[in-house]
Structures are given as structure tokens and as C-alpha cells.
Amino acid sequence: MSAYDSDLTRPDGLPAKRRRRRRPWVVLLVVLLVLLGLLVALDRIAAAYAESRISSEIQKQGFGARPDVTISGFPFVTQVLNRHFPHAHLTARNVREGPITISRIDGDVRDVRVDSGFRKGSLGRVDGTATIGFGELAKTADEPGVRFTAAGPDKVKGDVDLGIGSGTVVWQVTKVGRDQIRVHPLSAEGFSLSDLDQDLDFTVPVGGLPLGLTFDSLSVTAKGVELHVSGAHITFSG
């Protein structure tokens, strides 16, 4: 029996078990996966910090509550180090604007830049929507009980009780001037348009939007009146 054979044989004559050698590439793969996980976790921590800091400062520019800011891109740490975020998304809810509350503002944000303390910065461009629910729109009509629903891309309709009769009215919703919405009766079923009170022909001011956003156009959707808003070269500072 050779020395090699004796290594593979136990004293009782049974074959000995060979020791399995760990392959170096398996160990390396495990180490790499752990490092990758740590880098991803660090990247997300940096993203969460930047989003929180930026949203806190933006809140001071006309939002009653802190908006949600989501910054795109990976890896994120490099963006934090450069303090430059090419693309982000902003969402704010229940924003008070004059006589109404805007249910939701959604904005696509480009070219966000901040200082080293995240206290000052600028937004290169914002394009988005501000949605006014039908209930909020009805409040400004000063007509109890009217409920608006969508009736086209620029129209709403609702049932109206004038005391002398009730019927369905169709209004046209348009932008007038720089920052007003006009709600103007177009037709009625059940009574004549001349019977309508002046309160059913009204305007809604929307000139104080957060971040100095401007109201460019509007459309009527199933959720309400959707304002198309935008802004450029917007600065913010705590």
C-alpha cells in the first residue's frame, strides 16, 4: 500500500473522507456581494438624507406641509458629493391657495442644485399639474348643494335647484388673465339660463402658487380641474 493510499484509509480499513477545499472564487464572490450590499445601503441613506433636506427647505416656499421629494439616479452618492441632482419629482397634497385647497401638486423637477448645508438651492425647471377637486370648485360658486362632474375637456356639469325649479347646468371652465379660472354657464336643462344667479358665473384666483409656479393652461379630468403649471430658475433658501 502506498503512502497516498494510506492517507485515504482509516485505521479500521474504511476509506477516509476527503476534505473539501473551499474554492477561492466562492469566498471572493461572497465578499463582493457583501460589499455591494453595503454600497447600495449607503447610497439609499444618502438619497434619503438629500430628499429630506431638500423637501424641508422647499416647504418654506409656500407649502403648508412638507412635500414629498424623490430624486432619481444611481449611484446617488456622487450626486450628493456634487450637490447636483439632474432629475427629481415633487408631490404635495392639500395646498391652500386663496379660497380653495389644491388637492395635489405633482411636479417634474430638473437640475436641482444645493449648497453644502442643503439650506439654499435652485430648481432649474419645474413642469407639472395642480389639481382642484370638484368639491373645492363648488365652494366658490356660493350655490348650496351643487356638485360638479366632468363633462368634457373644458366643461363641468351639475344639478342646480333655484327654488323656482331645478335642472342640470353645463359650465365652461377656462383660464382668464394670468392667474384666474372662469366658470361660465353654457346651457341648462329644466330652466332658462337667464334664471341663473350671478353666483353661478364666477372666477377663482390662483395667483399664489408655491415656488412661484405659474398657471399656464387647464383641463377638466375625472378628478377635477387640472392646472398645468411651470416655473424656471427657482431659488429657495431657509
Side-chain angles (χ1 to χ4, degrees):
M1 180 182 295
S2 65
Y4 175 78
D5 292 333
S6 63
D7 290 341
L8 301 180
T9 305
R10 300 189 329 194
D12 56 7
L14 296 175
K17 294 182 179 180
R18 293 184 178 181
R19 293 183 179 179
R20 293 183 179 179
R21 296 180 179 177
R22 292 184 180 178
R23 297 180 180 179
W25 67 266
V26 175
V27 177
L28 180 60
L29 178 61
V30 171
V31 172
L32 289 176
L33 288 175
V34 172
L35 289 176
L36 180 60
L38 290 174
L39 289 174
V40 171
L42 178 62
D43 203 70
R44 292 318 307 159
I45 291 172
Y49 172 79
E51 290 167 351
S52 176
R53 293 288 295 143
I54 292 173
S55 64
S56 294
E57 296 307 322
I58 287 179
Q59 178 185 351
K60 302 170 186 177
Q61 311 306 312
F63 293 99
R66 193 169 77 171
D68 295 327
V69 174
T70 304
I71 301 174
S72 306
F74 184 86
F76 195 84
V77 173
T78 56
Q79 296 184 62
V80 175
L81 294 176
N82 293 329
R83 301 192 298 278
H84 177 216
F85 311 96
H87 186 206
H89 188 84
L90 180 149
T91 302
R93 296 171 180 83
N94 300 322
V95 179
R96 189 69 184 174
E97 166 52 34
I100 60 171
T101 296
I102 297 172
S103 60
R104 184 181 177 104
I105 294 178
D106 281 291
D108 185 73
V109 186
R110 301 283 180 175
D111 193 22
V112 183
R113 298 178 184 272
V114 295
D115 68 355
S116 58
F118 281 78
R119 292 195 177 98
K120 298 179 181 179
S122 63
L123 312 178
R125 179 78 190 179
V126 179
D127 292 284
T129 58
T131 303
I132 301 172
F134 290 125
E136 287 297 312
L137 190 68
K139 289 180 183 178
T140 60
D142 198 25
E143 178 64 33
V146 64
R147 292 186 178 181
F148 291 129
T149 58
D154 64 345
K155 296 178 179 63
V156 296
K157 65 179 179 180
D159 295 328
V160 176
D161 186 354
L162 297 180
I164 59 173
S166 61
T168 300
V169 178
V170 175
W171 289 262
Q172 185 174 39
V173 185
T174 57
K175 178 189 177 187
V176 293
R178 293 184 58 187
D179 53 15
Q180 289 188 321
I181 301 169
R182 186 184 181 191
V183 186
H184 174 67
L186 285 182
S187 62
E189 294 181 5
F191 46 75
S192 170
L193 279 178
S194 60
D195 296 328
L196 290 178
D197 190 89
Q198 287 295 320
D199 290 334
L200 292 180
D201 188 346
F202 59 97
T203 59
V204 183
V206 285
L209 293 170
L211 293 172
L213 296 175
T214 58
F215 159 35
D216 303 321
S217 61
L218 64 79
S219 58
V220 177
T221 72
K223 296 180 179 180
V225 178
E226 191 173 85
L227 312 182
H228 305 286
V229 298
S230 66
H233 309 299
I234 301 166
T235 58
F236 59 90
S237 171

